[in-house]
Amino acid sequence: MTGSLLYPRMTSTRMKLSLDGMWKFKFDRNKEGEASNWEKGIGKSELMPVPGSFADVYTDSKKRNYCGDFWYETDFTVPDFTGKKVILRFGSVTHRAVVYLNEQKIGEHEGGFLPFVFDVTDLVKNGNNKLVVKANNELNEESLPCGIVKRNKDGSIIAKPYFDFFNYSGIQRSVNLLLLPETSIEDYSLNYNVQGNEAVIDCMVKSSADDSSVKAIIEFTDENGKKVASEEIAYKENGVYGGQIRIENPILWNVLDAHLYTVRLALLSEDGQIIDEYEDRIGIRTVKVCGDKILINDKPVYLKGYGKHEDFCALGRTFNYSVAKRDYECMKWNGANCFRTSHYPYAEEWYQMADEEGFLIIDEVPAVGMMRSTHNFVDAGTGKYTYFFETPTVPTLLKNHINQVIEMITRDKNHPSVFAFSLFNEPETTSDQSYEYFSKVFEAARNTDPQMRPLTGALEKNSSPEKDKCNGLLDFICLNRYYGWYISGGELDEAEDKFRDELDRWKALETGKPFVMTEFGTDTLSGHHELPGTMWSEEYQNEYYEMNFSVIDDYDFIQGELVWNFADFMTSEGIFRVGGNKKGIFTRSREPKSSAFVLKRRWETIE
Ligand code: BDP
């Protein structure tokens, strides 16, 4: 993969052309597409929305659950691009894609939740162009997220995820063509140091050209439209520029009190002509972990909020501004300040909205399912051990994991909302091999993030204080625990004792680190009431949270509570799920269960 992961924007030098719409679409059950030259055109087909997840538009279960290769095709015409380069950008294709333009393969991408680009200047034509994508949504143990496929008697395959969310697939995010200057800005990063009433900003700009005669300028404009800094930064090497910019009396970005600056980056020719310019919205803030506290702008923050999913009726995992806006409104209404992008990086617009709202995000890579279990949540704490990190698939998996960590951090590093990266969810962490594996993943992340943000990962119950080998890698420790649901369900007194006992054992370990509860919750059928509360009723969900909060409040090293889940969401079918996972505080259509009011009362009163 080559090129820039910058969010596609229009500026005076950049044009963005959307290729979204209805594309031709076809399943390739017998994997005949390549042999039959579908890259030249997929032939008889149907229309499918792009962006979109194909599953829930269907009424037929074979199509909804389809697993394997599937193809998309569209035609487009480009305006005159003389003197420009033409970049093709996919927001994401789940889980992997091979892309053909005008019958030629232009490249491929592995990983279903991150963008990729191709420079197609030499292939794109005046007049009609044919774009064909061969996508694939199979799961295996060498790529993220992990799972397997099962072959049916008729030769078809179905996905068996080692995770608890539906395997939504397709071209799930926007596709754009970008017309850019030949020499263009490919990347930038900022790192903030606030000293007294001055922000010292380390700036990096990457140009596509290794040409020291090209100058790079960075400008910051505040919310009132006042330019507060405008400076040239020095050429280093290989197209990279670097320098420091100082801003007096900066207005800091803060939790639920967002203040953003517009940053303008420009490349100029020797005689001062603009070659390329790019604009973005950034926030000046610092993030540190100090003892058992998480500090934003040197002040401790307590995280209140959710683990979420990108999930909505008919849309599957497709980004939709109205759904996202509703989610932020619901989260603000009940006093949340944070969410985790469980269990994969979300569409870029989620982070832009968090930047504007002052939300904190734990940004998670799709490293889920590393325990070979479809019922992680049930197996957690049973001592189940699958030798996951002791199999021949590990080297390829590690390569893919590291690639996706690097792509995620590269894409998301400039968002003030992103204050931490989560590099796994509930893997086996009790072996030396798991430690060896994750130390490489963490090292890659530390080498990639210019802001050196805290790194973390969510531990399931087998990763107990006595057995876990990986908590030393984490800057703060995230626990997913279901005392009162999977453990001692229906017996909240016993659940409370067990929860306290485990936290006492973590305390005894004296990690000196902050802890965050990243998952706890109960499946609850909206509108199902019982007195006394029994499992699945709204009353039980409320009692469960009251119990968990009373425990959490007794442990000073816990610096956050992200309940599971913001809303009910779709999963694979199974005996544990009724129309999906029902642990939402809101229903799938975003109406509150009564627990939303319990959280509101609590989160509006605790700091
Ligand atoms: C945990 C997983 C999460 C599940 C949750 C649950 O991290 O993805 O949805 O349990 O059971 O094991 O609801």
Side-chain angles (χ1 to χ4, degrees), residues 396-444:
T396 314
L397 180 68
L398 178 63
K399 192 172 123 269
N400 282 327
H401 197 154
I402 288 178
N403 272 347
Q404 292 194 44
V405 166
I406 294 173
E407 287 177 13
M408 172 178 77
I409 297 178
T410 306
R411 187 193 73 161
D412 297 337
K413 62 179 183 259
N414 291 315
H415 290 288
S417 53
V418 175
F419 79 101
F421 293 106
S422 166
L423 306 186
F424 60 69
N425 183 70
E426 301 194 343
E428 267 175 7
T429 64
T430 54
S431 63
D432 292 338
Q433 289 85 347
S434 65
Y435 176 79
E436 204 186 310
Y437 178 94
F438 284 113
S439 39
K440 291 182 186 134
V441 174
F442 277 68
E443 190 191 341

Side-chain angles (χ1 to χ4, degrees), residues 164-165 309 340 343 376-377 425-426 480 482 486 519 523 564 569 577 581 583:
D164 184 38
F165 51 89
H309 268 295
R340 176 170 63 125
H343 293 305
N376 228 25
F377 36 89
N425 183 70
E426 301 194 343
N480 296 352
Y482 288 89
Y486 297 120
E519 285 188 27
D523 283 276
W564 191 255
F569 59 92
R577 297 290 175 250
N581 186 309
K583 294 198 185 64

Side-chain angles (χ1 to χ4, degrees), residues 197-492:
N197 55 2
E198 191 180 55
V200 182
I201 310 178
D202 295 321
C203 308
M204 185 285 290
V205 175
K206 167 91 177 60
S207 157
S208 61
D210 181 6
D211 180 352
S212 59
S213 72
V214 174
K215 290 191 282 188
I217 304 282
I218 302 196
E219 282 176 4
F220 292 87
T221 304
D222 72 13
E223 288 162 310
N224 303 316
K226 186 170 163 242
K227 204 177 278 178
V228 293
S230 174
E231 280 181 41
E232 182 177 340
I233 55 167
Y235 190 78
K236 305 282 180 197
E237 55 181 359
N238 301 326
V240 174
Y241 299 77
Q244 267 189 354
I245 290 187
R246 288 162 193 271
I247 296 181
E248 297 294 322
N249 301 315
I251 306 178
L252 301 184
W253 183 95
N254 236 315
V255 187
L256 300 184
D257 182 23
H259 294 280
L260 297 175
Y261 288 82
T262 300
V263 61
R264 175 177 171 265
L265 317 165
L267 297 178
L268 305 180
S269 63
E270 271 174 312
D271 59 358
Q273 300 293 312
I274 297 176
I275 298 173
D276 187 22
E277 65 178 351
Y278 185 79
E279 277 193 5
D280 213 351
R281 306 264 288 159
I282 60 97
I284 301 176
R285 55 101 187 87
T286 61
V287 182
K288 287 178 202 137
V289 168
C290 194
D292 65 8
K293 301 278 186 290
I294 298 169
L295 308 181
I296 303 291
N297 300 329
D298 291 327
K299 292 207 189 69
V301 63
Y302 189 79
L303 312 176
K304 300 177 275 188
Y306 296 101
K308 280 182 100 302
H309 268 295
E310 287 184 299
D311 174 278
F312 202 73
C313 314
L315 293 176
R317 224 173 287 310
T318 323
F319 178 79
N320 176 281
Y321 274 113
S322 301
V323 174
K325 172 79 177 161
R326 172 74 183 177
D327 284 9
Y328 277 104
E329 291 303 315
C330 290
M331 290 193 285
K332 284 190 289 181
W333 166 80
N334 73 357
N337 62 15
C338 179
F339 65 92
R340 176 170 63 125
T341 69
S342 37
H343 293 305
Y344 38 81
Y346 291 2
E348 290 144 298
E349 293 80 4
W350 279 103
Y351 305 77
Q352 292 162 4
M353 292 170 85
D355 295 345
E356 303 282 339
E357 297 283 4
F359 264 72
L360 293 168
I361 290 182
I362 301 178
D363 199 8
E364 188 159 276
V365 79
V368 53
M370 298 179 161
M371 197 178 129
R372 245 179 229 119
S373 169
T374 319
H375 302 133
N376 228 25
F377 36 89
V378 177
D379 290 321
T382 59
K384 179 182 168 81
Y385 187 70
T386 65
Y387 301 88
F388 194 87
F389 294 103
E390 290 153 65
T391 43
T393 45
V394 165
T396 314
L397 180 68
L398 178 63
K399 192 172 123 269
N400 282 327
H401 197 154
I402 288 178
N403 272 347
Q404 292 194 44
V405 166
I406 294 173
E407 287 177 13
M408 172 178 77
I409 297 178
T410 306
R411 187 193 73 161
D412 297 337
K413 62 179 183 259
N414 291 315
H415 290 288
S417 53
V418 175
F419 79 101
F421 293 106
S422 166
L423 306 186
F424 60 69
N425 183 70
E426 301 194 343
E428 267 175 7
T429 64
T430 54
S431 63
D432 292 338
Q433 289 85 347
S434 65
Y435 176 79
E436 204 186 310
Y437 178 94
F438 284 113
S439 39
K440 291 182 186 134
V441 174
F442 277 68
E443 190 191 341
R446 290 195 206 287
N447 291 336
T448 309
D449 183 14
Q451 293 187 4
M452 296 293 283
R453 266 162 281 225
L455 302 178
T456 189
L459 299 172
E460 56 85 24
K461 184 146 183 310
N462 276 330
S463 306
S464 64
E466 295 75 25
K467 291 202 188 132
D468 173 63
K469 299 231 164 121
C470 294
N471 65 75
L473 297 168
L474 314 183
D475 294 312
F476 60 87
I477 297 172
C478 293
L479 300 181
N480 296 352
R481 293 294 183 273
Y482 288 89
Y483 291 105
W485 189 251
Y486 297 120
I487 298 156
S488 303
E491 296 175 72
L492 288 175

